[in-house]
Each structure stands twice: as C-alpha cells, then as structure tokens.
Amino acid sequence: MKNELATKLLFELSVPGRRATQWPDSDVPEQSLDELIPSQFRAESAPSMPELTESDVVRHFVNLSTKNFSVDTHFYPLGSCTMKYNPKRHERLAALDGLGNLHPYQREEDSQGMLQILYEMQEMLGEIAGLPAVSLQPAAGAQGEFTALLVAAAYFRDRGEKRTKVIFPSSAHGTNPASAALAGFDCVQLQASSNGLVDPDDLQSHLDDSTAVFMITNPNTLGLFERDIARIAGMIHDAGGLVYIDGANMNAILGITRPGDFGGDMMHYNVHKTFTGPHGAGGPGAGPIAVRSFLEDYLPGPVVRKDTAEDGSVTYRLADPPNSIGRMRSFFGNVGILLRGYFYLRTLGADGLRAVSENAVLNANYLREKLKDILPVPQGERCMHEFVSSGKLQKDERGVTAMDIAKRLLDYGFHAPTVYFPLVVAEALMIEPTETESKETLDAFSEALHAIASEDPEMLHQAPHSTPVSRPDEVAAGRKPLLTWTPCLND
C-alpha cells in the first residue's frame, strides 16, 4: 500500500471528529461567547482546521522529513554555498542553560559569560580575517555585505568625498550588486575574462575618483584564487577606494591566507557556512563583518569591549562605536549561530582550521579529476574548495542539459549541485564536496554521474523518477507561490 502520509496535506488527511487531545471539563462558570468577545472582534465563522489524531500528525511529519535532502541524510555538493556536516556537539554546547536561557534584556553584570564569549568571537574572527575590528551584528552574509557598504559610505561621507561607484566581476554572487544598489551606490560589472579571473587592465579602465568599493570573492565562484589580488587591491587603494572581500568562500583559505593580508579592507563571514550551524531554508545565519582599524568607528553597535582594572579583574560591556551607522539587528545579533561558530573554532583550533581548508581543497580536486572526462572544467587546471564543470559536452552530443543531470542525481540519492551559475560557464554545474566527505562518498558520487552520462536522454529529460513531484514549474513556484490551502483550491 502506498504511504501517502508525507505527500498528502494535513487538510487532506483530516477526518471530521478526530482529535489529538481532549480538554478537561471546565471548572469555572460557563459564559457565552457573546459576553466574552464583542461581535465586531469575532470572525464570521470558525477557521477550517484539519481534524487528526496525534499519531496522524506525528506520522505525517516524520514521513515528510524522510523526503527531504539535508547534510544529515545525503551528500550535498552545493557549490558556492558550503553545506558541510555540523558536529552535534556544538548544538549541545550552544543550548547550555546559561546560554540558551539567557534573556536578551539581562543586565550586563549578569551576562558576563555571554559577553566574554562574544568578545572572544570578535577577536578570533578578526585574527582569521587579518582585519582587527569586528561587529557581530549582521544576521546573514547578504546583510553583512550591505552593512559593510553602509560603513564605507559613512567613511567617505566623513571625509567629504563623493564616491558613488561599486565595481564587481561578472562572477560575483548576485547579492553583491543587490547590496550595493540597496546601499545607494551605482553598480559597475566587469566583463568576464577567458581565464575566469579579474583582468587588472579591464578593472583599471573603470577606476576614477568616483570609485568607492571593489567587491570580490576570493577564491571566486569558479573556485579559483584571484592570483592578482594584491595588485588589484593596490589599484583600488591608489584610486582612493576600498576593497571588500565576500567571505562566502572562506572555507578554502582558513589558516592559509587572510583577506587583510592580501589587501581587503572589509569582509563578511558566513558563520553558518564557514564554521558551523544549521544551514538551509533561509536561515538562521550570521554575517559578522571585519574591517580595518580606520573603519572601526563606523561599525554597527553594540560591540563588546573588554575592560581590565588595575587589580587585573576583567569586565565586559556593550558599546556603540562613536560614529556608528546604528543597529543592524536587535540585541547582539543571531547569537545562537555565533555560539555554534565559537565552539567550532574552539574545538578545532588554528591547526584544525587549516586542515579544514586543506581537506576541502583536496576533496574538490580529487572529484574534479574523477569527472573531467564527462564534465570538463573550462577554467583553471586546479581548483580551490569548489569547481565549475560544464555540461556543454553532454548537451551537444546527447541533448542532456545540466538540469537533466542535476534532477537525475536525486534518483541516485545525491543532492544536486548548483546549476547555471556562474553565467560565464555554459551548462554550469558548480560542485563543492567540502572537507567532511569521505573518499567513498566522492567515489559513489562520481560513479553516479558516469552512470547518468550513459543513460537514455529521454529518460533523463523526465527525471527525477523517485520523488513525489518530478519537474515542478520552478519559476512559477518562486514568483507565484501558493502557501495556503483551502477546500476551494482542493476542489
């Protein structure tokens, strides 16, 4: 018998009269609803709610969870969005009573433990970035970008400089131009170069006294390290601008090189990607920013300061930088994710962080070599933590698209990689295996892709075949979502 507990909605499973609980008899005098709630505040009819037993509800959600792909259940090689295993130890530590039950309005003197952790997190993030001033406020990576651009705008405003232009390469994350536009800057996109890297000469042609910020991801979204980054940073600085490093790909360079050392002035972290934290469904995340000392006064507050008395005693306090752009998030930011990242850093230490990047790069290059006969990589002979294969060969010879391959992978039990990004690669499949996957998993993934490369194209066009829904209209689902259910829709 087909189990439909996961594929049917609770409304569809509803049976009139079923209940998951039974209320006790009232022990107070009964009153009519008319007496308790004036008629103008009451709905015209009771809401339509599913009627189910507790076991109906439990089985529905447990079965539904088995239809999901996650890092806890499947290999998840989603390029440009590090999806690695999150040690459960950090979940337990972040939920300790003294942390999880702390009220955000608790007095500073009663929150010294939390403030010490956040202060030490600021210090560690500054050290890893090579940029000493840190604000933990931004709630996610994209908000970190936006925040840093507001900091840059405040800095230039204080200097009396009218700089309006933000430049970024065509391989930039889409959030880069979105953040720049939202912060009030004009966006200038560089043309893609043949080797996938920023062309310094092309960049030079766009530099003038209106240049405010150059935004660059390094390693970039093709999984290549921008080898001219120091020269590029020097060009930006000579023009009076600032260099922003999108920290989305920090998983490749931890403990090996630092944005501040190769010329960055500002950066954001994706704590939930680079370090640890639940990741998916839009959050929660944390996007702290790190900046050079001359930008510190503009950071969003509060930041945590450490005071040491003459007797050696230490206290921690919250403070707003003198020219702060203001708050970006309530309280201290997304503390739950920051705590998980803090414990990840404490667990691994400096040597462990470097090993993370070395293994992430090793795994990516291993898989790249395993797949190059069916999915060649157009740019670069080696990659960092991810690589971008092209499915053009498959499309030209067999009519099989990158989307066909991605959908078919679901039938083999693998989450699909990012497809069709960056746009500079035809039929792009961006694959990031991460450092937490074994050789056996990588081999199995490679074998699945080789099997797909010899399967009937017509069958691939209809994939996946093992999921409740095969090929939904993804554009309509994104732009015209129907997030509610009513009996009339069901009819």
Side-chain angles (χ1 to χ4, degrees), residues 393-400 452-457 460-461:
L393 183 66
Q394 294 288 320
K395 186 175 183 181
D396 291 346
E397 295 182 353
R398 306 199 312 129
V400 173
I452 292 170
S454 61
E455 289 181 327
D456 176 14
L460 295 178
H461 296 329

Side-chain angles (χ1 to χ4, degrees), residues 113-134:
M114 175 67 85
L115 293 180
Q116 179 179 350
I117 286 175
L118 296 179
Y119 175 82
E120 292 176 0
M121 186 65 169
Q122 290 175 184
E123 294 293 294
M124 288 190 289
L125 294 180
E127 172 64 22
I128 294 168
L131 299 167
V134 173

